[in-house]
Amino acid sequence: MNEARTIPQACEATLAALEADPLSIDAATQAHLRACPACAEARVQWLALEDAPFALAPAGYFDHLPTRILRKLPTRTKHRSQMGRWLWAAAAVLLMTGVGLTGFWLGRANQHPMVEATLPRTPREVQELLPEAPFQDTEDAMSQLSDLSKADAEAVLQRMETPKNVKP
Protein backbone atom coordinates (compact mmCIF):
# COMPACT_ATOMS: atom_id res chain seq x y z
CA MET A 1 0.00 0.00 0.00
CA ASN A 2 2.82 2.43 0.70
CA GLU A 3 4.37 3.20 -2.62
CA ALA A 4 7.55 5.19 -2.56
CA ARG A 5 7.32 8.24 -4.75
CA THR A 6 10.37 8.76 -6.82
CA ILE A 7 11.44 11.91 -8.56
CA PRO A 8 12.69 11.58 -12.14
CA GLN A 9 16.46 11.92 -12.57
CA ALA A 10 16.12 15.00 -14.79
CA CYS A 11 14.13 16.77 -12.06
CA GLU A 12 16.65 15.71 -9.40
CA ALA A 13 19.53 17.16 -11.42
CA THR A 14 17.61 20.40 -12.00
CA LEU A 15 16.71 20.75 -8.29
CA ALA A 16 20.34 20.15 -7.31
CA ALA A 17 21.45 22.89 -9.76
CA LEU A 18 18.79 25.27 -8.39
CA GLU A 19 19.87 24.57 -4.84
CA ALA A 20 23.46 25.41 -5.71
CA ASP A 21 22.68 28.75 -7.42
CA PRO A 22 19.17 29.64 -8.60
CA LEU A 23 20.37 32.78 -10.43
CA SER A 24 22.97 31.30 -12.79
CA ILE A 25 21.84 28.06 -14.41
CA ASP A 26 23.20 26.17 -17.41
CA ALA A 27 21.41 25.58 -20.75
CA ALA A 28 20.28 22.00 -19.95
CA THR A 29 18.63 23.18 -16.74
CA GLN A 30 16.92 26.05 -18.58
CA ALA A 31 15.53 23.65 -21.17
CA HIS A 32 14.17 21.38 -18.42
CA LEU A 33 12.57 24.39 -16.61
CA ARG A 34 10.66 25.33 -19.78
CA ALA A 35 9.25 21.81 -20.05
CA CYS A 36 8.58 21.02 -16.33
CA PRO A 37 6.21 23.42 -14.46
CA ALA A 38 6.97 21.80 -11.06
CA CYS A 39 10.70 22.55 -11.38
CA ALA A 40 9.95 26.07 -12.64
CA GLU A 41 7.85 26.66 -9.53
CA ALA A 42 10.66 25.30 -7.38
CA ARG A 43 13.06 27.80 -8.98
CA VAL A 44 10.67 30.68 -8.17
CA GLN A 45 10.57 29.53 -4.55
CA TRP A 46 14.39 29.32 -4.39
CA LEU A 47 14.63 32.83 -5.82
CA ALA A 48 12.18 34.11 -3.18
CA LEU A 49 14.42 32.70 -0.47
CA GLU A 50 17.47 34.64 -1.67
CA ASP A 51 18.45 37.46 0.68
CA ALA A 52 18.31 40.87 -0.95
CA PRO A 53 20.72 43.50 0.29
CA PHE A 54 19.13 46.34 2.25
CA ALA A 55 18.78 49.67 0.49
CA LEU A 56 21.09 52.30 1.86
CA ALA A 57 19.59 55.49 3.23
CA PRO A 58 21.19 58.83 2.33
CA ALA A 59 23.35 60.51 4.93
CA GLY A 60 21.32 62.35 7.57
CA TYR A 61 18.03 60.72 6.53
CA PHE A 62 17.09 59.55 10.02
CA ASP A 63 18.39 62.74 11.66
CA HIS A 64 15.93 64.94 9.74
CA LEU A 65 13.01 62.46 9.74
CA PRO A 66 11.10 63.97 12.72
CA THR A 67 11.10 67.48 11.23
CA ARG A 68 9.92 66.19 7.85
CA ILE A 69 7.04 64.34 9.50
CA LEU A 70 6.06 67.40 11.56
CA ARG A 71 6.00 69.54 8.41
CA LYS A 72 3.49 67.16 6.83
CA LEU A 73 1.07 67.30 9.77
CA PRO A 74 -1.70 69.93 9.57
CA THR A 75 -1.29 73.01 11.72
CA ARG A 76 -3.92 74.28 14.12
CA THR A 77 -6.04 77.16 12.97
CA LYS A 78 -7.72 79.85 15.01
CA HIS A 79 -11.10 78.71 13.71
CA ARG A 80 -10.88 75.53 15.78
CA SER A 81 -9.97 77.37 18.95
CA GLN A 82 -12.87 79.82 18.45
CA MET A 83 -15.24 76.91 17.95
CA GLY A 84 -13.93 75.24 21.08
CA ARG A 85 -14.58 78.38 23.14
CA TRP A 86 -18.17 78.58 21.93
CA LEU A 87 -18.66 74.91 22.66
CA TRP A 88 -17.37 75.28 26.21
CA ALA A 89 -19.56 78.36 26.76
CA ALA A 90 -22.66 76.49 25.55
CA ALA A 91 -21.86 73.55 27.80
CA ALA A 92 -21.46 75.87 30.79
CA VAL A 93 -24.81 77.56 30.06
CA LEU A 94 -26.56 74.18 29.80
CA LEU A 95 -24.96 73.01 33.03
CA MET A 96 -25.98 76.13 34.95
CA THR A 97 -29.52 75.95 33.55
CA GLY A 98 -29.81 72.31 34.64
CA VAL A 99 -28.50 73.09 38.12
CA GLY A 100 -30.85 76.08 38.46
CA LEU A 101 -33.93 74.19 37.34
CA THR A 102 -33.11 71.24 39.58
CA GLY A 103 -32.73 73.54 42.57
CA PHE A 104 -35.99 75.30 41.73
CA TRP A 105 -37.97 72.06 41.52
CA LEU A 106 -36.38 70.65 44.66
CA GLY A 107 -37.34 73.84 46.50
CA ARG A 108 -40.92 73.55 45.30
CA ALA A 109 -41.09 69.91 46.37
CA ASN A 110 -40.12 70.73 49.94
CA GLN A 111 -42.69 73.50 50.47
CA HIS A 112 -45.39 72.90 53.05
CA PRO A 113 -48.86 72.54 51.57
CA MET A 114 -51.15 75.52 52.03
CA VAL A 115 -54.09 74.85 54.35
CA GLU A 116 -57.31 76.77 53.72
CA ALA A 117 -60.43 76.88 55.85
CA THR A 118 -63.54 75.87 53.91
CA LEU A 119 -67.19 75.56 54.73
CA PRO A 120 -68.73 72.12 54.78
CA ARG A 121 -70.18 71.10 51.47
CA THR A 122 -73.87 71.15 50.83
CA PRO A 123 -75.62 67.95 49.77
CA ARG A 124 -76.09 69.43 46.30
CA GLU A 125 -72.32 69.91 45.86
CA VAL A 126 -71.64 66.42 47.14
CA GLN A 127 -74.17 65.02 44.66
CA GLU A 128 -72.41 66.84 41.81
CA LEU A 129 -69.05 65.37 42.82
CA LEU A 130 -70.26 61.77 43.10
CA PRO A 131 -69.95 59.73 39.93
CA GLU A 132 -72.99 58.07 38.47
CA ALA A 133 -73.45 54.48 39.51
CA PRO A 134 -73.32 52.23 36.45
CA PHE A 135 -76.39 50.08 37.25
CA GLN A 136 -78.53 52.65 39.06
CA ASP A 137 -81.78 53.73 37.42
CA THR A 138 -81.59 57.48 36.98
CA GLU A 139 -84.98 57.90 35.32
CA ASP A 140 -87.89 59.20 37.39
CA ALA A 141 -91.46 57.88 37.39
CA MET A 142 -92.80 60.56 35.03
CA SER A 143 -90.34 59.68 32.28
CA GLN A 144 -91.30 56.03 32.61
CA LEU A 145 -94.94 56.99 32.38
CA SER A 146 -94.38 58.89 29.15
CA ASP A 147 -92.80 55.76 27.61
CA LEU A 148 -96.05 53.77 28.10
CA SER A 149 -98.88 53.66 25.60
CA LYS A 150 -101.86 55.93 26.24
CA ALA A 151 -104.13 53.11 27.52
CA ASP A 152 -101.44 51.76 29.87
CA ALA A 153 -100.69 55.24 31.20
CA GLU A 154 -104.39 55.86 32.03
CA ALA A 155 -104.59 52.50 33.81
CA VAL A 156 -101.56 53.37 35.96
CA LEU A 157 -103.06 56.78 36.84
CA GLN A 158 -106.39 55.21 37.83
CA ARG A 159 -104.62 52.80 40.10
CA MET A 160 -102.71 55.63 41.74
CA GLU A 161 -105.94 57.62 42.38
CA THR A 162 -107.73 54.80 44.17
CA PRO A 163 -106.71 54.65 47.84
CA LYS A 164 -105.41 51.30 48.97
CA ASN A 165 -106.57 51.54 52.59
CA VAL A 166 -110.21 52.21 51.73
CA LYS A 167 -112.53 49.36 52.60
CA PRO A 168 -115.73 49.11 50.56
Side-chain angles (χ1 to χ4, degrees):
M1 295 221 167
N2 284 337
E3 294 180 15
R5 291 189 178 188
T6 59
I7 300 174
Q9 281 201 343
C11 289
E12 279 186 22
T14 304
L15 290 176
L18 290 176
E19 187 176 354
D21 187 15
L23 290 175
S24 60
I25 50 175
D26 58 347
T29 306
Q30 281 183 351
H32 179 77
L33 287 175
R34 283 189 210 112
C36 180
C39 291
E41 184 178 341
R43 180 180 184 220
V44 170
Q45 290 177 354
W46 276 107
L47 288 173
L49 291 175
E50 285 293 314
D51 289 333
F54 291 110
L56 295 176
Y61 177 81
F62 293 106
D63 296 336
H64 301 293
L65 183 64
T67 54
R68 285 197 312 270
I69 291 174
L70 287 174
R71 273 187 278 153
K72 291 181 181 182
L73 293 175
T75 60
R76 288 187 174 210
T77 61
K78 288 188 176 185
H79 178 67
R80 275 189 165 174
S81 63
Q82 292 286 339
M83 189 61 137
R85 289 180 186 165
W86 281 107
L87 187 64
W88 279 108
V93 167
L94 285 173
L95 179 69
M96 294 306 293
T97 304
V99 168
L101 286 175
T102 303
F104 173 74
W105 285 111
L106 286 176
R108 286 189 55 112
N110 291 329
Q111 284 182 352
H112 296 292
M114 187 182 302
V115 179
E116 294 181 5
T118 58
L119 293 174
R121 295 189 175 158
T122 62
R124 182 179 212 171
E125 290 174 351
V126 172
Q127 198 66 5
E128 289 175 0
L129 294 176
L130 291 176
E132 291 185 20
F135 301 108
Q136 188 177 10
D137 192 12
T138 57
E139 297 180 356
D140 59 344
M142 289 306 290
S143 64
Q144 291 177 1
L145 189 61
S146 63
D147 290 341
L148 295 175
S149 66
K150 193 171 187 174
D152 290 340
E154 287 178 4
V156 169
L157 287 176
Q158 291 247 342
R159 242 190 212 170
M160 287 175 65
E161 288 178 358
T162 59
K164 289 183 181 179
N165 294 338
V166 176
K167 291 182 183 179

